[in-house]
Amino acid sequence: MKKRIGSYPRVRIEGGGRAVVSQAGGALLVETVRKAGLDTAISAALTPWRKSRAVHDPGKIPLDVVLAVALGGDCLADVAMLRAEPAVFGPVASDPTVSRLIDTLAASGKKALRAIRAARAEVRERVWRLAHGQAPDAGGTVTVDLDGVLVIAHSHKEDAAPTWKRTYGHHPLMGFVDHGPGGTGEPVAALLRPGNAGSNTATDHITAAQLALAQLPKKYRRGRRTLIRTDSAGGTHDFVAWLAQRGRWLSYSVGMVVTEAIHQHVLKVPASAWTAAVEADGEIRDGAWVAELTGNVLDGWPKGMRLIVRKERPHPGAQLRLTDADGMRLTCFATNTVGRPIAELELRHRLRARAEDRIRAARATGLRNLPLHRTAKNRIWLEIVQIALDLLAWMPMLALTGNARLWEPRRLRLRLFSAAGQLVTTGRRRILRLARHWPWTGHIIAALDRLTQLLDPG
C-alpha cells in the first residue's frame, strides 16, 4: 500500500532568517511619497504640533499609518508591519506615540484638518503636473463625483446611529476625482456624518463640494471646466442653485427624483422626440432612449438648467415603480451643459457609476469601519484613509502603464506590494533584490525606474 502524498509540498518552517524583507513592493509607495513631496509637505503642515525634544517627526507618524493602510491595514496598530522593516520604511514610532499624536491632532479640531488638507492640495497639484498627459485634467476639465458611503459600526461609537438601510454606523459623504476610463480615481472630500444623516441634505452636499474644490488646483475651483456629478441625492433646489451661482459657474450633472410632474411631462413627449441612448464605445444602447423636458417643469430651478430623462426596458427580474411609464424604467438628471447631444450628456452622467468603484476601493483601504471611538479622531482617520487612497491612485498614474494602471488596491497588494525581497549591503549601498520568479517583479522594477526619472520636489 502506497503512502498518500498531499497536493502541496511539505516545507519545514524555521525562524531566524536574516536580510529578508516582507512587503518589499511597498518601496513603490515610499518612492511615490518622496517624488510627490508628500513627506515634506505633511511635515511642514504639522510643525506646530511638534513637541520639543521629540524623537519622531509628527509628519512622518501619520504618513507611516497612511502607508500601513495603503498596504492593507485597518487600524493604528497595523503600523507594526512597517516597524518590522526599518530598512524600507525607516524608524517607526511606537503604538503609544502614534495614539498620542492622533489624540493631539483630534483635540485641535479643524486647525489640524485644515493643515493636512492644505498640504494634500499642494501635493496634488504637483503630482498632476508630473503626470502630464496621464493626469485627470489632461483634457482641460475635471470631474468630481459626490456620493454617500455607509460605514458599519459593530460597537457603540460617537455619532453612530441607525442608517436608512437598517444597519448601524456612520454615513460619510465623499467626493472623488474621476480619472476616466484609463485610470482609477482619487478622493478629494470626506465629510463624516452620523448614520441617520439624510441622503439629500443640501448643506452637506455644499460642504462636501467646497472641500472637493479646495483640493483642486486654483484654476479648477470655479468655472465650467469643473463638473460636479451626483446621484438623485444631490438633486435639491439649494444645491443646484449653489452650483449655478453667479461667479461660481460650475458645470453640474445631478440626478433628479422622478416626481409626479416629471412623470406627466414624460407621458406627453412625442415618439419623434426620443433619441437612442449610446454606450461608451459609441454603439447604440439597446432598449434605451433619452429626451429633454421643457416647459413649466423647470419653474423654480436656476436659469439654464436642462432636464433630461431616459426610458429603458427594465432588466430581467427588475420591478417597475409607480413613476415608470409604459413598462419602461424612467431616470432623470439635470445639467447646465449646452452644445452637446443629449445622448452624450446622458452617457456622461451614467458614467458617474464609476464612483461605486471608488467606494469599493475605499472600503478595502481603511473604510471598512471607523476604528476609533471619538468622532474627532475618526475625522483624522478619514484624512489618513484619503491620503492612502491618493497614494494608491498617484502611484499607478505616475509609474504603471496599460492594464496595470487600472488595478484596484486589492490587486496592487496581492501582485506588487506583497512581493518579498532580500536586502544586500555592498560597500555603502543597500540593495533590495526582489524574487526573480515572482511574475510581477518586472512591473515593480519598471515602475520604480519611472518614478526615479521624475523630478525631485523643490
Side-chain angles (χ1 to χ4, degrees), residues 202 206 234-250 252 254 300-303 305 336:
I206 292 173
T236 59
H237 285 267
D238 291 343
F239 183 54
V240 175
W242 183 87
L243 292 170
Q245 186 175 348
R246 182 178 177 85
R248 192 168 287 115
W249 295 309
L250 296 168
Y252 60 83
V254 299
W301 292 95
K303 184 179 179 181
M305 191 186 90
N336 60 348

Side-chain angles (χ1 to χ4, degrees), residues 166-180:
R166 297 183 180 181
T167 56
Y168 185 81
H170 297 81
H171 189 190
L173 183 61
M174 300 193 68
F176 299 90
V177 169
D178 184 24
H179 283 200

Side-chain angles (χ1 to χ4, degrees), residues 65-394:
V65 181
V66 165
L67 290 172
V69 171
L71 291 172
D74 60 3
C75 65
L76 297 179
D78 286 334
V79 77
M81 65 178 173
L82 271 66
R83 192 181 301 118
E85 303 295 350
V88 177
F89 303 106
V92 176
S94 64
D95 288 347
T97 301
V98 173
S99 296
R100 282 195 297 268
L101 179 62
I102 298 300
D103 292 345
T104 302
L105 295 177
S108 64
K110 293 184 178 180
K111 184 178 178 181
L113 293 175
R114 284 195 296 264
I116 295 173
R117 290 165 181 167
R120 287 179 58 213
E122 174 189 340
V123 175
R124 191 181 316 280
E125 186 169 4
R126 169 177 166 76
V127 170
W128 288 12
R129 288 199 306 267
L130 290 175
H132 299 296
Q134 301 298 323
D137 66 337
T141 61
V142 174
T143 300
V144 177
D145 294 315
L146 302 181
D147 207 347
V149 185
L150 291 181
V151 181
I152 306 300
H154 297 285
S155 61
H156 182 72
K157 298 177 181 178
E158 188 176 14
D159 287 336
T163 71
W164 60 276
K165 279 195 172 182
R166 297 183 180 181
T167 56
Y168 185 81
H170 297 81
H171 189 190
L173 183 61
M174 300 193 68
F176 299 90
V177 169
D178 184 24
H179 283 200
T184 56
E186 53 194 275
V188 286
L191 181 64
L192 184 57
R193 306 186 299 169
N196 56 3
S199 297
N200 57 349
T201 305
T203 54
D204 289 345
H205 277 81
I206 292 173
T207 302
Q210 289 172 332
L211 292 174
L213 293 173
Q215 284 295 307
L216 304 181
K218 289 185 179 180
K219 62 181 178 180
Y220 296 117
R221 294 177 185 176
R222 64 179 67 240
R224 289 286 190 261
R225 291 183 296 179
T226 301
L227 172 69
I228 305 294
R229 289 190 303 203
T230 73
D231 56 10
S232 58
T236 59
H237 285 267
D238 291 343
F239 183 54
V240 175
W242 183 87
L243 292 170
Q245 186 175 348
R246 182 178 177 85
R248 192 168 287 115
W249 295 309
L250 296 168
S251 296
Y252 60 83
S253 182
V254 299
M256 302 288 286
V257 175
V258 180
T259 62
E260 179 61 25
I262 293 176
H263 183 253
Q264 293 302 320
H265 273 74
V266 171
L267 297 178
K268 298 176 184 178
V269 175
S272 59
W274 292 97
T275 302
V278 296
E279 298 285 7
D281 57 4
E283 296 294 328
I284 299 297
R285 184 176 176 86
D286 185 41
W289 299 266
V290 294
E292 183 171 0
L293 303 183
T294 58
N296 58 7
V297 72
L298 298 176
D299 291 349
W301 292 95
K303 184 179 179 181
M305 191 186 90
R306 305 174 66 187
L307 199 58
I308 298 174
V309 65
R310 180 187 74 186
K311 66 177 183 180
E312 185 175 22
R313 296 193 188 101
H315 300 294
Q319 294 183 349
L320 293 175
R321 296 166 295 192
L322 293 176
T323 53
D324 294 331
D326 299 329
M328 295 286 187
R329 171 63 54 85
L330 297 181
T331 55
C332 187
F333 72 97
T335 183
N336 60 348
T337 303
V338 297
R340 297 173 64 177
I342 58 174
E344 184 179 333
L345 295 177
E346 191 275 332
L347 172 63
R348 183 186 70 175
H349 182 76
R350 196 175 350 123
L351 292 177
R352 192 205 65 82
R354 282 198 287 252
E356 300 299 330
D357 298 331
R358 309 289 84 80
I359 292 174
R360 183 174 63 250
R363 292 186 190 279
T365 311
L367 204 59
R368 181 180 61 85
N369 69 331
L370 297 176
L372 306 172
H373 180 76
R374 306 291 295 181
T375 297
K377 295 180 183 179
N378 281 323
R379 288 195 178 100
I380 302 296
W381 177 259
L382 269 185
E383 294 300 316
I384 289 173
V385 168
Q386 288 182 88
I387 300 174
L389 290 169
D390 281 338
L391 286 178
L392 293 173
W394 293 343

